[in-house]
Amino acid sequence: MGNGLPERVAIVTGAARGIGAAISKRLAADGRAVAVLDLAERTTQDTVEAIRAAGGRAIGVAADVADAEQVRTAVDRIAEELGAPTILVNNAGILRDNLLFRMTDDDWDSVVAVHLRGAFLMTRAVQAHQVAAKWGRIVTLSSISALGNRGQANYAAVKAGLQGFTKSVAIELGPFNITANVIAPGYIATDMTRATAERLGMTFDDFLAQVAKDIPVGRPGTPDDIAAAAAFFTSDEASFVSGQVLYVAGGPKV
């Protein structure tokens, strides 16, 4: 790296598009080698190619973060091809929105599996490399929905749970020079928020215009807004920031 710091290897989950892709590109621009992880390796191609075209190192990796064996295999492959991963961004997530009385067992279980179990499995696998290196950064994506949102009892529960998980990880791994923090985005213009608009029977543009009215800075966020926060949390300069939840939401509340 040109700044004299060692190259760090980062894993970003759910990185084929949206927030995950933006974080992957930003970390690569900051000199990280990036494993772009998603359910299917072919979907990571655009992100990987964009990083390589800009002069960075990246590979696409397929894994279901809720599957322990797939997680182990993926992390082992990344360590072999890129080097020991010491930065982890837990971004993978899904929506299964519904009002509580209509929410199915699968709506609940699938959201819990991807968000909570996935973050646990990925963090458990990567922390071994971080402990060995005596350096690590863990960033997990929560949401303003952790504060509660109609039709998202499952999503709100896991996003709140990830905050407690991260605070516990920060306590356990702090002695090894490993930090763990949470980014809780507000309304970000992504395919996931597009799905929310569809659930509400609104066009995406109308939905964004409506939510912007309640955001003090007057606009919805972009994936690059979240990537900037991730760049800070994963930096060497953030070594004394751990166990924190940063709401990137355009104001103190939305």
Side-chain angles (χ1 to χ4, degrees):
M1 291 176 59
N3 57 13
L5 296 173
E7 181 184 58
R8 311 287 191 189
V9 175
I11 301 175
V12 183
T13 69
R17 60 183 182 173
I19 290 173
I23 292 173
S24 297
K25 294 171 187 176
R26 175 59 188 266
L27 295 187
D30 288 345
R32 317 308 194 183
V34 182
V36 180
L37 190 148
D38 217 299
L39 275 173
E41 187 171 330
R42 60 177 171 76
T43 66
T44 70
Q45 183 177 357
D46 288 348
T47 305
V48 170
E49 288 182 354
I51 291 171
R52 290 175 177 171
R57 285 208 304 147
I59 60 172
V61 180
D64 177 352
V65 296
D67 185 299
E69 184 57 37
Q70 290 189 39
V71 166
R72 281 191 293 268
T73 299
V75 173
D76 287 347
R77 177 191 163 192
I78 292 162
E80 181 177 345
E81 294 189 21
L82 287 182
T86 54
I87 296 172
L88 171 64
V89 179
N90 289 308
N91 172 70
I94 61 171
L95 289 176
R96 295 291 184 272
D97 294 351
N98 224 326
L99 295 175
L100 184 62
F101 76 98
R102 292 176 180 156
M103 189 169 288
T104 67
D105 292 356
D106 184 64
D107 289 337
W108 181 272
D109 292 342
S110 59
V111 169
V112 171
V114 174
H115 291 267
L116 270 179
R117 178 177 169 85
F120 159 66
L121 291 176
M122 289 298 305
T123 303
R124 185 178 65 180
V126 172
Q127 63 83 33
H129 294 284
Q130 296 173 325
V131 169
K134 294 185 171 55
W135 191 96
R137 299 286 185 266
I138 300 165
V139 178
T140 297
L141 274 292
S142 178
S143 169
I144 58 167
S145 291
L147 303 174
N149 199 27
R150 178 178 172 83
Q152 289 192 316
N154 49 2
Y155 190 73
V158 296
K159 289 307 191 182
L162 287 170
Q163 296 185 17
F165 170 74
T166 298
K167 289 177 180 292
S168 299
V169 168
I171 293 168
E172 290 188 24
L173 299 183
F176 302 98
N177 195 28
I178 300 165
T179 65
N181 291 286
V182 168
I183 299 171
Y187 288 103
I188 310 297
T190 66
D191 287 342
M192 188 171 282
T193 47
R194 186 183 296 275
T196 300
E198 291 174 356
R199 175 173 63 86
L200 296 174
M202 301 175 66
T203 69
F204 192 40
D205 288 343
D206 287 346
F207 176 74
L208 293 180
Q210 178 172 301
V211 300
K213 294 177 182 177
D214 297 321
I215 300 173
V217 301
R219 67 169 178 87
T222 69
D224 286 341
D225 291 321
I226 308 305
F232 169 70
F233 276 141
T234 57
S235 69
D236 285 78
E237 290 81 2
S239 61
F240 201 56
V241 182
S242 195
Q244 302 305 303
V245 179
L246 176 63
Y247 282 85
V248 183
K253 63 180 181 179
V254 293

